[in-house]
Amino acid sequence: MREEGTGVAEGEGDMPDMVEAIEAMFNARTVAVVGASDNEGKLGFHILRSLTRGEYGGSVFPINPGKREILGMRSYPSLMDVPDKVDLCVISLPARLVPGIVRSCAEKGVKGIVLITAGFREIEDESGGRLQDEVMHLAREAGMPVIGPNTFGIVNLHASLNASFTPQFSDIKRGSISLLSQSGGMSHLMGFLSMRDDFGFSKIVGLGNRCNTDFADMIPYLMRDPGTRVIAMYMEGIDKPRRLLEVARKFRGKKPLVAYKVGLSSLSDLASKSHTGSVAGRHELYEVGFRQAGILTVESSSGLLDAAKALSSSPLPTGYNVAVLSGQAGPGMVVCDICEREGLHITSFSGETQRRINSLLPPLTVRTNPVDMGPAWYDSKAIAGIVDSVLADTSINAVLICIMFASANEESIRGLSGVLKKWSRAKPIVCCFSSPPGIWEKEVAGLVQNETIINYATPERAAKALSALWRYVKIREQM
Amino acid sequence: MREEGTGVAEGEGDMPDMVEAIEAMFNARTVAVVGASDNEGKLGFHILRSLTRGEYGGSVFPINPGKREILGMRSYPSLMDVPDKVDLCVISLPARLVPGIVRSCAEKGVKGIVLITAGFREIEDESGGRLQDEVMHLAREAGMPVIGPNTFGIVNLHASLNASFTPQFSDIKRGSISLLSQSGGMSHLMGFLSMRDDFGFSKIVGLGNRCNTDFADMIPYLMRDPGTRVIAMYMEGIDKPRRLLEVARKFRGKKPLVAYKVGLSSLSDLASKSHTGSVAGRHELYEVGFRQAGILTVESSSGLLDAAKALSSSPLPTGYNVAVLSGQAGPGMVVCDICEREGLHITSFSGETQRRINSLLPPLTVRTNPVDMGPAWYDSKAIAGIVDSVLADTSINAVLICIMFASANEESIRGLSGVLKKWSRAKPIVCCFSSPPGIWEKEVAGLVQNETIINYATPERAAKALSALWRYVKIREQM
């Protein structure tokens, strides 16, 4: 598998076994927590709770020189006293003590480190930068990836491994989106949004100050990780933009890379290393760089999750021809605007499809694409027939369906479920089914869970998610 | 109050008593339902359920020539048989029968009509247009506003009046946002979003085909309606853009008008009537027209609700100086990007404020604006102290606070509540407090319900809502 390493990091001091080491970390069978505590006021307490909240099957070793037992677990005075090998070491100790612990990790043969501790490069005092350099040097010599410092940790939901200070991350569903984030706060936000929107994650990684493990190091691992279908990235400053772009280009089209980049004023790195001085502004510069490297960009945290949701569970459209089927005219109009703006085409149906629609829908409204299915409200069979014929139309590459609940269409979702299941692997079916709390929720959740449809809270978000699928198709076509 | 009528409709056949008549409709003490039914497959069944689901205190008269009782209510063969006066008549009968009913309404002295029936101007057959003209002529002669045809109805939550075919509208909370919508589907969507986001509406009005009651007719009524603080509008095509803009200008700055306009390809009306042929495109044309008339524009249904929420419950900023206080650095960065783009200024604190922050926060992170309150996690008193001193700083006009839950900051929201209440009427406090389901929800809901803060699901939405407040201030300044 070595040939799948980044192969782009020569001369930058990167480690050849990075991918294997990261893989070992994220699938650790043994985890030591240095700085484990039974004091609720310490992060080391919450880290232990995180590791024991889910169904993690590996061993957890609290390390604390003053304790023999913490939270019912045998505690060890030092890493060297652990009677087993240690795959992953989570460190939550004052910064000045960290280099000593990293030395112990090297000696113990630890595969990788999650360095929760803050107080390194980011603080006002320059001692922080010196400490970080020392840790980086030690870790590089030992070939150990260090996630952090100044991170909330890492989560691998497929291994029930929650090596973070937030136990609630264990409650997130398993999914196939892996999130790489430069901000713990934004990782928490996106984790909480997933809990409320009922979708899952594969890995959630707080990169923190990126001592020796940056986006470019994580991407090769996630590209070969079978639990990851989409890589979602929240970015602030990029230290080595050229390296990131090279890695992205190398894996272009293998799995989608979606980026939400903030910090418009800190784009100077990319700007200074670019030679296209004629481009209007920094934001445009990074947009261009990302597009050329095959990285999809989005404009918000919800846009990042919406695109990742679609890319993780939907088939890709084989062309840009979209059908819009709406239970009411307005939402259909809303999505048409966005489709048009995003280069999707609201095309004509085949003659046969149009005839079938005309036979099912009275001539009280628009029956061509976009179809207003309003007049078929009480007739869930007619709605299912329209949707079926449009999904069967080979000139249609993707279908957007927007139906807002009303008493008169209460049966429509139940009536649609068979048709949607029949076609769900053939082409993208992106929906906005909206209802008062308690209505349609079970039906829609069922369709979402078995990946029959993707559902969004608003028509706009549904249309933008579909456009993300189409943008990814174009990224693959340009290879 | 006559001088508050639109005064702009001369020559267009509008009725001088429109505002009074609309007011009477929305506060109807007696409602007749023509086409009332005990058949679940008829809209007339659902309309009756809507009128009886809430706590409506007026009288409801089902009209159906074939029934003596419907849903336990005395039914009348015709409108003329109702023994009381009728303020509002809701009609759900085949289109061809509607002109006869409108004649009866005129004879009975009905104040206004909600015409649910579809099959008028919007259908393929031109008979629909002729029927609509006939209804319009009859209604104009009688001075009756007609909401519709082809509408789901109207809802006045303050009167517990749900004259629509969707009983669930009765479950929406009372608030001070009134929604005028050209689409029933989008009205339903926004109603359902409000139920999930726990905010309320005052009136929800489905304008439908706007027989004789358009945006420009509703605005003067809502401008003087004490239950309405903000007018939110969902628009598709605008028949008489000049008239709408004149009404908006007349009431400029009295209450916020927020518009979400879709149908980019149908903007030809506005374009053809405008004389600024040099403007780049139709979208820009309508943007310019709306801005000049003092109408705030937004780009999505959630953007419409987010702006309306802020404008309905927050004090306005007296300047563009914003403080960003975040529990984690990332969300602070996210909102700064948006503030900068929207013309808000992340300013310096006064010397005293900065000294107080420095005394409360260790030098582990950025302590100037935007403040990363991360290092104070375990210290909810320090967080409250920072927020208090910033809110007290007279150079700060509005505060954005973004805190994502983590075990270590669990107490922060409870700790903040006193400080937030103390300053809530002095300046806008716009928040993104995010947590897993079941955590912080009660505390945040309490702060939202008594209008101490406005809370949004993402930092981006919070920052954009604050920018809507600032844009409205500028609209008022330009009067």
Side-chain angles (χ1 to χ4, degrees), chain A residues 41-43 46 123 167-168 183 185 188 192 196 236 260 262-264 301 330 337 378 404-405 407 435-436 441 460, chain B residues 41-43 46 167-168 183 185 188 196 236 260 262-264 301 330 337 364 378 404-405 407 435-436 441 460:
Chain A
K42 298 283 181 189
L43 291 177
H46 300 291
I123 65 169
Q168 287 78 5
S183 156
H188 281 67
F192 304 154
R196 289 168 195 277
E236 294 174 357
Y260 173 33
V262 303
L264 301 184
S301 45
D337 271 13
Y378 282 103
M404 312 299 130
F405 166 85
S407 305
S435 62
E441 279 166 3
E460 294 91 334
Chain B
K42 299 281 182 189
L43 290 177
H46 299 291
Q168 286 79 6
S183 156
H188 281 67
R196 289 169 196 278
E236 294 173 358
Y260 173 34
V262 303
L264 301 185
S301 45
D337 270 15
L364 296 176
Y378 282 104
M404 311 298 132
F405 165 85
S407 305
S435 63
E441 278 165 3
E460 293 93 333

Side-chain angles (χ1 to χ4, degrees), chain A residues 40-44 46 49 118-119 122-125 165-168 171 183-186 188-189 192-193 195-196 234 236-237 260-266 299-302 328-331 333-334 337-338 340-341 363-367 377-378 404-408 410 432 434-439 441 457-461 464, chain B residues 40-44 46 49 118-119 122-125 165-168 171 183-186 188-189 192-193 195-196 234 236-237 260-266 299-302 328-331 333-334 337-338 340-341 363-367 377-378 404-408 410 432 434-439 441 457-461 464:
Chain A
E40 277 200 46
K42 298 283 181 189
L43 291 177
H46 300 291
R49 280 210 306 154
E122 78 280 11
I123 65 169
E124 290 178 6
D125 193 292
F165 57 60
T166 301
Q168 287 78 5
D171 307 340
S183 156
M186 294 305 285
H188 281 67
L189 173 77
F192 304 154
L193 290 173
M195 289 176 174
R196 289 168 195 277
Y234 168 81
E236 294 174 357
Y260 173 33
K261 170 83 176 71
V262 303
L264 301 184
S265 54
S266 60
E299 300 297 324
S300 67
S301 45
S302 60
Q328 295 94 348
M333 206 151 170
V334 165
D337 271 13
I338 294 170
E340 200 169 302
R341 194 192 312 147
L364 295 176
T365 179
V366 178
R367 299 188 288 182
W377 264 16
Y378 282 103
M404 312 299 130
F405 166 85
S407 305
E410 187 152 9
C432 172
S434 180
S435 62
I439 302 179
E441 279 166 3
T458 67
E460 294 91 334
R461 289 172 66 177
K464 284 185 189 163
Chain B
E40 277 201 46
K42 299 281 182 189
L43 290 177
H46 299 291
R49 281 210 306 154
E122 78 280 11
I123 65 169
E124 290 179 6
D125 193 293
F165 57 61
T166 302
Q168 286 79 6
D171 307 340
S183 156
M186 295 305 286
H188 281 67
L189 173 77
F192 303 155
L193 290 174
M195 289 175 174
R196 289 169 196 278
Y234 167 82
E236 294 173 358
Y260 173 34
K261 169 85 177 69
V262 303
L264 301 185
S265 54
S266 59
E299 300 297 324
S300 67
S301 45
S302 59
Q328 296 94 348
M333 206 150 169
V334 165
D337 270 15
I338 295 170
E340 199 170 303
R341 194 192 311 147
L364 296 176
T365 180
V366 177
R367 298 188 290 182
W377 265 16
Y378 282 104
M404 311 298 132
F405 165 85
S407 305
E410 188 154 6
C432 172
S434 180
S435 63
I439 302 179
E441 278 165 3
T458 67
E460 293 93 333
R461 290 172 67 177
K464 284 184 188 164

Side-chain angles (χ1 to χ4, degrees), chain A residues 86 108 114 180 209 224 233 285 292 300 309 342 352 427 456 462:
Chain A
V86 171
K108 180 79 184 167
V114 169
L180 301 176
N209 285 3
R224 82 180 201 193
M233 302 184 285
L285 252 182
Q292 286 170 352
S300 67
K309 253 173 73 174
E342 298 278 345
E352 191 193 329
K427 51 187 82 172
Y456 292 95

